[in-house]
């Protein structure tokens, strides 16, 4: 029977002020590969089979545009859409063939209670050739959202979209839609927004080589290299040209549905007094500010200034 739930994270879509600058960063430094460009929209892929994992939209302000998920098949898309309609969820686009999108497929879009647009699709073309460079991302691993009301957002992802709670700490709830420990995490504080996005690389060595490429490209590691508690994943965090936080991650815990028990905040507070299992690193102040959206907002103000000066002649 077709399940009315999300089955995997596909990718993320970002609004960016300068498309060429962002495309150069994500292809030459971050390690993605160009797939297609249609007007002011650019598609980039990782080394895995997903058609594209990052979509860049040229826009006056940088922001999270949307997050893309997979359903089992077209019937799964329709079943999930019917469930959303029944629950009164805001539908942004009804189910349809997505012929205007690179990779095509069939899908619909909805809005979370805190305003993020999520697209759920099936039947998207796959990449046949996979990369053989462990320093480059294979796929999008997870998105962390800042939330104003964590109970409401947790309930939306779990009860409405079919995610399951993997772990909960004082700061965050980690929820999964596949065997990956988390595809979405919800961070308390800062109001609604994008906290960070994480891309999976195939190995620890690959993560170190990717981090080295970033360092030589002028991007310091703002947190890491370290290993998280929930998810047990290795991490290194950076701030990209739009002020968004981006992470290389590896060795993400794979969940066994038959045996996994979610750890609650008291458990994690006792087990993990430090946010890095190795006790090696703490997030920089700059990273904390970037995770709150501060640098993206500052850059947006500068871009608005440029636009208004241009209009004034
Ligand atoms: Fe992360």
């Amino acid at each position: 029977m077709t399940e009315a739930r999300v089955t995997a994270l596909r990718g993320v879509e970002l609004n960016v002020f300068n498309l060429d600058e962002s495309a150069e960063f994500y292809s030459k430094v971050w390690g993605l590969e160009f797939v297609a460009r249609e007007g002011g929209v650019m598609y980039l892929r990782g080394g895995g089979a997903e058609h594209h994992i990052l979509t860049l939209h040229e826009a006056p302000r940088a922001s999270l545009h949307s997050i893309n998920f997979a359903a089992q098949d077209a019937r799964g898309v329709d079943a999930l859409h019917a469930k959303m309609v029944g629950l009164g969820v805001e539908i942004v686009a009804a189910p349809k063939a997505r012929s205007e999108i690179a990779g095509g497929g069939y899908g619909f879009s909805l809005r979370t209670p805190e305003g993020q647009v999520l697209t759920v699709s099936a039947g998207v073309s796959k990449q046949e050739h996979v990369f053989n460079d462990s320093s480059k991302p294979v796929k999008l691993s997870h998105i962390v959202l800042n939330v104003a009301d964590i109970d409401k957002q947790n309930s939306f992802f779990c009860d409405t979209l079919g995610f399951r709670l993997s772990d909960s700490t004082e700061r965050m709830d980690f929820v999964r839609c596949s065997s990956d420990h988390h595809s979405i995490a919800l961070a308390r504080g800062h109001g609604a927004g994008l906290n960070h996005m994480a891309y999976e690389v195939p190995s620890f060595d690959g993560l170190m080589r990717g981090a080295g490429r970033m360092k030589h490209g002028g991007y310091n590691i703002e947190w890491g290299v370290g290993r998280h508690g929930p998810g047990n994943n290795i991490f290194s965090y950076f701030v990209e040209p739009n002020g968004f936080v981006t992470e290389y991650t590896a060795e993400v815990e794979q969940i066994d549905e038959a045996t996994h028990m979610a750890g609650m905040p008291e458990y994690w507070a006792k087990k993990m007094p430090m946010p890095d299992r190795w006790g090696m690193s703490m997030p920089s102040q700059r990273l904390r500010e970037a995770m709150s959206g501060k640098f993206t907002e500052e850059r947006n103000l500068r871009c608005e200034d440029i636009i208004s000066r241009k209009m004034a002649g």
Side-chain angles (χ1 to χ4, degrees):
M1 187 185 146
T2 302
E3 282 188 279
R5 70 175 193 86
V6 160
T7 56
L9 177 63
R10 283 193 194 282
V12 64
E13 305 200 17
L14 302 173
N15 290 319
V16 298
F17 181 70
N18 186 328
L19 187 60
D20 291 333
E21 175 200 56
S22 294
E24 172 136 338
F25 166 77
Y26 279 105
S27 58
K28 296 209 171 126
V29 190
W30 191 243
L32 304 183
E33 274 193 10
F34 173 81
V35 175
R37 178 174 185 164
E38 286 159 23
V41 183
M42 189 174 285
Y43 302 88
L44 296 125
R45 64 167 289 196
E50 193 64 47
H51 184 271
H52 57 273
I53 62 173
L54 175 66
T55 308
L56 300 171
H57 298 258
E58 196 153 48
R61 289 172 58 82
S63 64
L64 173 65
H65 176 284
S66 53
I67 307 171
N68 295 331
F69 295 97
Q72 193 180 330
D73 50 27
R75 286 200 304 180
V77 170
D78 286 336
L80 193 61
H81 172 256
K83 184 181 173 191
M84 297 301 105
V85 171
L87 291 170
V89 172
E90 183 186 346
I91 303 298
V92 177
K96 62 174 181 183
R98 290 160 55 81
S99 49
E100 77 284 11
I101 308 292
Y106 175 79
F108 79 104
S109 299
L110 59 109
R111 200 181 303 278
T112 74
E114 296 202 348
Q116 294 91 14
V117 173
L118 313 182
T119 296
V120 183
S121 62
V124 177
S125 302
K126 297 275 182 207
Q127 297 287 356
E128 287 178 12
H129 165 71
V130 296
F131 297 169
N132 190 20
D133 182 342
S134 65
S135 74
K136 294 185 170 182
V138 176
K139 67 173 191 174
L140 186 70
S141 177
H142 59 263
I143 297 287
V144 177
L145 297 172
N146 294 324
V147 297
D149 185 335
I150 197 159
D151 293 335
K152 208 175 191 181
Q153 281 287 70
N154 182 318
S155 167
F156 182 78
F157 276 95
C158 292
D159 304 334
T160 305
L161 288 175
F163 283 64
R164 285 139 286 170
L165 181 70
S166 291
D167 278 300
S168 180
T169 67
E170 278 178 20
R171 284 193 59 245
M172 293 167 91
D173 283 352
F174 299 83
V175 296
R176 68 183 182 278
C177 59
S178 67
S179 60
D180 284 348
H181 177 272
H182 56 286
S183 293
I184 293 286
L186 307 166
R188 293 169 177 82
H190 306 305
L194 176 62
N195 180 290
H196 71 268
M197 52 198 152
Y199 295 78
E200 187 174 313
V201 291
S203 65
F204 190 4
D205 181 69
L207 183 144
M208 295 301 286
R209 293 199 293 118
R213 185 176 58 237
M214 284 289 284
K215 196 170 175 184
H216 286 288
Y219 298 88
N220 283 330
I221 298 181
E222 300 290 345
W223 187 18
V225 175
R227 188 185 282 280
H228 282 305
N232 200 33
N233 45 322
I234 302 168
F235 62 83
S236 58
Y237 287 84
F238 306 87
V239 180
E240 57 87 275
N242 301 285
F244 299 129
V245 174
T246 190
E247 173 191 358
Y248 284 133
T249 195
E251 300 185 4
V252 178
E253 180 183 351
Q254 296 300 295
I255 295 292
D256 180 345
E257 294 293 340
T259 57
H260 183 73
M261 298 240 312
M264 291 295 113
E266 312 76 55
Y267 167 82
W268 284 110
K270 210 182 270 182
K271 187 179 169 79
M272 283 278 303
M274 298 271 288
D276 170 7
R277 275 185 194 229
W278 296 333
M280 295 273 287
S281 64
M282 293 292 285
S284 68
Q285 181 59 28
R286 183 166 180 266
L287 187 75
R288 290 180 197 276
E289 290 176 354
M291 284 174 160
S292 76
K294 182 185 173 194
F295 298 131
T296 303
E297 191 49 39
E298 283 178 1
R299 188 180 147 104
N300 283 340
L301 290 173
R302 286 199 299 277
C303 293
E304 277 171 18
D305 196 38
I306 292 168
I307 292 168
S308 58
R309 269 194 244 169
K310 266 189 193 162
M311 287 175 75

